[in-house]
Amino acid sequence: MSAVTQETSGLETALTHANKLLALNPFLASQQAGEILKVIPNQPNALILFALAQDKLGNADKAIESLRQLMQIQADWAAPYFELGLILRRMGKTQDALTTLQSALLLKPDLPKAWLVLAGLYAEMGDEIASDSAYSKHLQYSV
């Protein structure tokens, strides 16, 4: 096995472990992701895991900071935009959440969960037509 293969295998194992920890123990998931980031700074999967763990721990500011950093590194990846949109919605920043979710959907239109959240945001804003349209997209991409 080459050094590159071993490194990739080790990274995959560490990321898988951090992902499993996320639901069980966000603190340990955050630590695991942090260790990966010490070895491989700005590793996208570790950054998003770190952000998700921080969010679960109630550290929205750290989560947002990590997601924004990731959005600069991987501007064409919809996942950090989606996760940031969820956090912003929870924080009551409706317009920012709306804009961020729309950015996620521009990058990857087939995200049914993002369409569903968007439908809810539009409904909260009283825009029934946009809500119905977003919900229709949710159904379309859920199939």
Side-chain angles (χ1 to χ4, degrees):
M1 189 182 288
S2 73
V4 172
T5 305
Q6 287 177 333
E7 184 178 309
T8 302
S9 176
L11 174 61
E12 289 174 9
T13 301
L15 287 168
T16 299
H17 183 64
N19 198 37
K20 287 179 184 175
L21 286 171
L22 190 59
L24 304 170
N25 190 330
F27 178 75
L28 289 178
S30 173
Q31 286 187 319
Q32 178 77 27
E35 290 301 315
I36 294 168
L37 291 168
K38 285 179 187 175
V39 177
I40 309 170
N42 297 325
Q43 203 292 328
N45 293 309
L47 263 174
I48 201 163
L49 281 169
F50 181 80
L52 293 173
Q54 289 301 311
D55 184 42
K56 285 182 178 277
L57 292 168
N59 300 326
D61 290 339
K62 276 188 178 179
I64 289 170
E65 180 184 328
S66 296
L67 290 168
R68 289 203 168 129
Q69 178 183 352
L70 182 54
M71 289 160 61
Q72 290 176 355
I73 297 165
Q74 294 279 138
D76 59 345
W77 190 21
Y81 291 88
F82 173 70
E83 297 298 340
L84 179 59
L86 294 179
I87 293 170
L88 293 171
R89 181 182 188 198
R90 249 190 348 269
M91 295 174 76
K93 297 182 178 185
T94 305
Q95 191 57 51
D96 291 339
L98 187 70
T99 302
T100 306
L101 288 166
Q102 288 170 333
S103 294
L105 290 165
L106 283 173
L107 292 168
K108 186 168 174 47
D110 61 341
L111 290 174
K113 289 181 183 179
W115 285 112
L116 184 60
V117 175
L118 202 60
L121 280 170
Y122 283 129
E124 290 169 13
M125 296 168 66
D127 190 338
E128 195 173 310
I129 293 171
S131 178
D132 289 347
S133 176
Y135 190 73
S136 176
K137 292 282 191 181
H138 160 71
L139 293 175
Q140 174 186 342
Y141 290 116
S142 292
V143 178

